Amino acid sequence: MLLPIRDSVGGALGFKVFEDVERYLKDSDWCYYTSNSEILNILSNYKRNLDTVLTNPRVLKIISEKTKTGSLIKVDIINEVKGVDLTIKVLGENGTDIFFKEQTKLNTDDPKVLSQTIKNWLSVYEKQIPYDGLIIGVLGNQFSVDVGTNRSLFQGNEVFISRPTRKRKHPLLKEVIDWDSEKLGTGKIIHSTETQAQGNVLQYDTNKKLRNGDWIILKEDAQRGLVEQKKFVEDNEYEFGKLGEVSLLFNIGKGSASSETDTTTKKLGGTVLGIDLQTSLWITRQYWIGLDISRVVGSLSPEEGSLTSTSNSMGNSFFKMKAGYKYLPMGFFYGPQVDAYIGYANYTYGLDTSSADGFTEVNFTGLLLGAKGSIPIQKVFRIFAELSFIFNPGFEEETVVYGEDDSTRNYTLEIGGKYLYAPNMTFDLSYGVNSSKASFVNPVKSITVKQSTFKLGTTFTF
């Protein structure tokens, strides 16, 4: 059921959006929409304190019981100077559980744009429903299944039969993110129509008998056999992850270090190998925190100038803590994304000390600022670009070779792509450059350390 849509302009905007979204729900093939004019009329009498009424779990539970609905859709529209702040929640029948939540800022108050954003979100929510059908009748070893109007099971499909046992909630958001369920057995569909199907139990895994409300889940091979065409944003392989993601990347490329004065330049270069571990935790779908650790090693040899040492080694260690905001231009998670973040970075470039050549282990630390943008190209491909830098980084040497710095700079640039191999796994390939420089004025000299590497690895969503 769609609850009255609240806005801050007396209901004029909310009513138009309500009409459009309600029309979409009535025509949808993934749910049964309940419209109860009597309850809506009662709620209309509480316009002045409708916010309070619609946040009261007891009221929401009564509405759910009276309309016999399992999901209540609550939309809020807050008008701002430029555009609106749009929020959607899908609440459970107890009025407390949050099955789905999204929020975004739009720079327009066009009702069509608002309602289309809500429709996009509901399409994402549809794919988070954890079952393909619900048992509505049991007779011995036979069962009847309600599958909606577009989730028809076909004769011969094998299915799992499960029973939900516990809801799992996000530790921070308190949203329902997963369900614990008990597998009762397997079955086979023997007859199907557009909205219902009948099946037989093939095997019981427990001594429990089936009952109304048990879940029917298609086996993977049966799902692959469906010929139903699905839109990109509607594919359940693109379901939003639960808590965050972790990436493991292997690096290969070139490392270099150069020491310059007014009259001479000395440069080392060579191949480096390394590994990156990148993690992020989604506090909400917009706000996240992350931790990146990187380590590369290599052997450098002279490339320019006259050096006293014929070789040097490089051992770089990078550490980054980040907190960021994710902007979703199209309102759903797997569309285009733009991230901005702030944090702390510590970049250590490990070089063997050679005072005569002007090399030693150096360290750059400070406030990290960055931005990243990504966009899907095809159904399983996404490209991205990321730029970050340490603002006015601090500089330290293991052995005093240069002394106090006059100015420092640092930047990291990375471009690449991702291939979706599985619903929670991507293969990643990128090219990145990290460069840091410290300059000195008395006498004039500088040291620059740099690494340019290709990264190949994988990202897991958990």
Side-chain angles (χ1 to χ4, degrees):
M1 179 182 177
L2 178 63
L3 297 171
I5 295 181
R6 167 189 178 260
D7 65 30
S8 52
V9 290
L13 181 59
F15 181 73
K16 293 180 181 179
V17 176
F18 181 92
E19 283 189 318
D20 196 16
V21 176
E22 184 180 49
R23 191 179 306 113
Y24 158 78
L25 290 169
K26 287 179 178 178
D27 296 337
S28 291
D29 52 20
W30 60 273
C31 68
Y32 296 110
Y33 176 70
T34 299
S35 177
N36 191 303
S37 58
E38 181 181 349
I39 287 181
L40 293 178
N41 289 336
I42 294 174
L43 291 175
S44 67
N45 296 324
Y46 297 90
K47 285 184 178 180
R48 293 186 177 181
N49 62 342
L50 189 59
D51 289 349
T52 303
V53 172
L54 293 181
T55 55
N56 188 324
R58 293 182 60 188
V59 174
L60 296 175
K61 183 178 180 180
I62 292 173
I63 293 174
S64 178
E65 291 174 349
K66 295 293 184 182
T67 57
K68 295 182 172 59
T69 54
S71 302
L72 300 173
I73 301 171
K74 185 175 184 295
V75 176
D76 291 330
I77 303 173
I78 307 298
N79 291 75
E80 299 183 339
V81 177
K82 293 183 179 180
V84 300
D85 190 351
L86 184 64
T87 304
I88 186 175
K89 288 183 181 179
V90 180
L91 303 167
E93 57 191 345
N94 60 5
T96 305
D97 292 336
I98 301 175
F99 293 151
F100 181 81
K101 181 180 178 181
E102 277 286 10
Q103 182 177 10
T104 190
K105 294 183 183 294
L106 300 174
N107 57 6
T108 179
D109 59 359
D110 185 344
K112 292 188 179 297
V113 175
L114 300 184
S115 60
Q116 185 58 53
T117 302
I118 296 169
K119 294 174 191 177
N120 289 342
W121 284 338
L122 290 173
S123 295
V124 176
Y125 165 67
E126 171 197 353
K127 299 309 169 189
Q128 296 186 4
I129 297 173
Y131 51 80
D132 297 297
L134 288 176
I135 291 181
I136 56 174
V138 179
L139 180 61
N141 290 330
Q142 291 190 348
F143 55 87
S144 299
V145 187
D146 183 352
V147 294
T149 59
N150 196 40
R151 300 291 172 185
S152 296
L153 303 177
F154 297 100
Q155 184 175 345
N157 285 158
E158 291 193 8
V159 296
F160 295 117
I161 307 168
S162 299
R163 179 171 298 163
T165 57
R166 185 173 67 93
K167 290 171 285 195
R168 296 172 58 189
K169 296 186 178 182
H170 193 290
L172 299 176
L173 306 180
K174 306 306 179 183
E175 296 179 27
V176 177
I177 58 173
D178 208 349
W179 298 76
D180 288 337
S181 60
E182 178 184 17
K183 184 184 175 186
L184 304 180
T186 57
K188 188 172 185 178
I189 302 302
I190 58 175
H191 178 70
S192 67
T193 63
E194 184 179 358
T195 60
Q196 293 188 5
Q198 285 78 46
N200 278 333
V201 178
L202 298 178
Q203 175 183 326
Y204 287 100
D205 290 356
T206 70
N207 58 1
K208 297 179 181 179
K209 298 300 182 181
L210 307 188
R211 67 188 184 197
N212 290 356
D214 287 341
W215 292 355
I216 296 297
I217 303 170
L218 269 172
K219 287 188 175 182
E220 289 187 5
D221 55 348
Q223 289 177 332
R224 288 194 294 267
L226 295 177
V227 296
E228 173 190 357
Q229 297 296 319
K230 299 180 182 178
K231 296 179 182 178
F232 169 57
V233 297
E234 294 179 336
D235 197 329
N236 61 6
E237 291 185 351
Y238 296 85
E239 179 185 345
F240 173 69
K242 302 297 187 274
L243 297 176
E245 57 186 18
V246 58
S247 301
L248 184 64
L249 306 164
F250 297 94
N251 299 348
I252 183 171
K254 181 179 180 180
S256 65
S258 61
S259 173
E260 300 181 28
T261 66
D262 281 340
T263 58
T264 62
T265 297
K266 299 179 180 181
K267 184 176 181 181
L268 297 167
T271 301
V272 293
L273 300 172
I275 189 170
D276 283 10
L277 179 65
Q278 302 173 358
T279 62
S280 62
L281 174 66
W282 297 319
I283 301 175
T284 70
R285 295 199 180 191
Q286 275 73 45
Y287 294 95
W288 54 269
I289 56 176
L291 174 66
D292 297 351
I293 301 173
S294 177
R295 174 70 174 173
V296 300
V297 295
S299 179
L300 309 184
S301 57
E303 289 189 345
E304 185 177 348
S306 177
L307 287 86
T308 59
S309 300
T310 58
S311 66
N312 202 309
S313 63
M314 172 174 273
N316 299 342
S317 299
F318 296 165
F319 174 83
K320 293 184 283 187
M321 292 190 300
K322 302 180 289 185
Y325 174 79
K326 185 183 298 294
Y327 171 61
L328 306 174
M330 296 184 66
F332 57 94
F333 191 80
Y334 283 101
Q337 301 177 355
V338 179
D339 293 88
Y341 57 85
I342 188 172
Y344 169 79
N346 185 319
Y347 296 162
T348 299
Y349 302 88
L351 298 168
D352 294 336
T353 299
S354 176
S355 300
D357 296 328
F359 297 118
T360 188
E361 180 177 298
V362 293
N363 182 261
F364 293 80
T365 60
L367 178 67
L368 179 70
L369 301 173
K372 179 179 179 180
S374 68
I375 185 171
I377 299 300
Q378 292 182 352
K379 197 170 185 179
V380 295
F381 291 101
R382 175 181 290 269
I383 59 174
F384 68 88
E386 181 174 2
L387 175 65
S388 65
F389 63 93
I390 301 178
F391 178 74
N392 192 25
F395 173 78
E396 293 182 355
E397 304 171 272
E398 182 184 46
T399 301
V400 177
V401 175
Y402 294 94
E404 186 175 353
D405 62 277
D406 180 65
S407 65
T408 55
R409 66 160 177 79
N410 163 272
Y411 75 88
T412 301
L413 175 65
E414 185 175 359
I415 57 174
K418 294 174 174 285
Y419 168 72
L420 187 68
Y421 175 74
N424 65 336
M425 177 182 177
T426 65
F427 288 128
D428 307 343
L429 176 64
S430 64
Y431 174 75
V433 177
N434 174 274
S435 177
S436 299
K437 180 178 181 179
S439 301
F440 311 85
V441 295
N442 189 23
V444 176
K445 53 186 175 180
S446 66
I447 180 172
T448 303
V449 280
K450 182 178 179 181
Q451 70 175 42
S452 306
T453 58
F454 286 96
K455 298 181 181 181
L456 176 64
T458 184
T459 297
F460 293 94
T461 302
F462 59 91

